[in-house]
Structure formats: structure tokens, C-alpha cells
Amino acid sequence: QCLLSGSWRSDTGCRMVVSVLSKDGSFSGSYLPGPAAGGPEIITSPMEGSQQDAGLVPQPTFSFTVHWRHQAQTTAFLGQCYVGTNGEETLHALWLMREAADSPTEDWKATR
């Protein structure tokens, strides 16, 4: 059974810590971007999300958002937690990042 509570690290060095996983599947924690984010100061940002009921399926889906501190950006992640034959848990996710646009004509370049 796959549960998100705990600490996770991505292939690119990002770290996610799920500090609270409620019985209803909601969770909160923090997200720290990896070295690829660049910049002189990398800041941990808050995250909130929810996980499908792990009692219903052994490999639940999840979603969460990260609200980047000191930046006008939000990233949404959507994925699934898999349990391998060796019992190791792995997260697979897609993400969209949205930054504030200056005007509706600049909207086209605000989502990556």
C-alpha cells in the first residue's frame, strides 16, 4: 500500500516532505526545488494536496499544489503512487507551472 506521508526526492533533486496526511486523504507539507531551479537562494515553499483513499486501491492517485514563496508562481502536480515488486514506493507525476502574466495578451506564455 502506498502512502505519501514522509520524505520524497525526485530524479532532479527536488525534495517533498508530506508532514500531515489526514484520514480523508488531504495532506500538507513543504517542497524544495532542486539545483536545476538555479538562483542564489533556493527557498522551501508550502504545499497542499490530496491522495485517493489508499484503502480502495493499493496504488492511489494524488494531486498537490506548491505556492512558491517570493515568486508569483503556483505549480500543480497530478500523479500516482506505485509499489514495485520489491515493495519500494515510487511517485510518477506531471506538473503545470503558472506565473503571473502582466496582461491578457501575455497569458499565452504564463503556463509551462
Side-chain angles (χ1 to χ4, degrees), residues 33-97:
E41 187 177 335
I42 299 175
I43 298 171
T44 301
S45 295
M47 55 169 273
E48 292 185 25
S50 63
Q51 176 181 318
Q52 182 181 20
D53 185 348
L56 296 176
V57 293
Q59 301 182 120
T61 59
F62 62 87
S63 64
F64 63 92
T65 56
V66 176
H67 301 281
W68 302 104
R69 294 188 189 266
H70 309 296
Q71 296 177 5
Q73 299 173 336
T74 299
T75 303
F77 293 80
L78 180 65
Q80 187 168 356
C81 186
Y82 293 100
V83 180
T85 55
N86 60 357
E88 183 175 319
E89 298 170 331
T90 306
L91 304 181
H92 288 242
L94 299 173
W95 58 270
L96 285 173
M97 184 174 72

Side-chain angles (χ1 to χ4, degrees), residues 9-33:
R9 189 173 84 49
S10 75
D11 294 340
T12 60
C14 298
R15 288 182 295 170
M16 173 176 83
V17 176
V18 177
S19 55
V20 177
L21 180 60
S22 301
K23 289 184 181 196
D24 68 356
S26 63
F27 61 87
S28 61
S30 59
Y31 193 90
L32 180 67

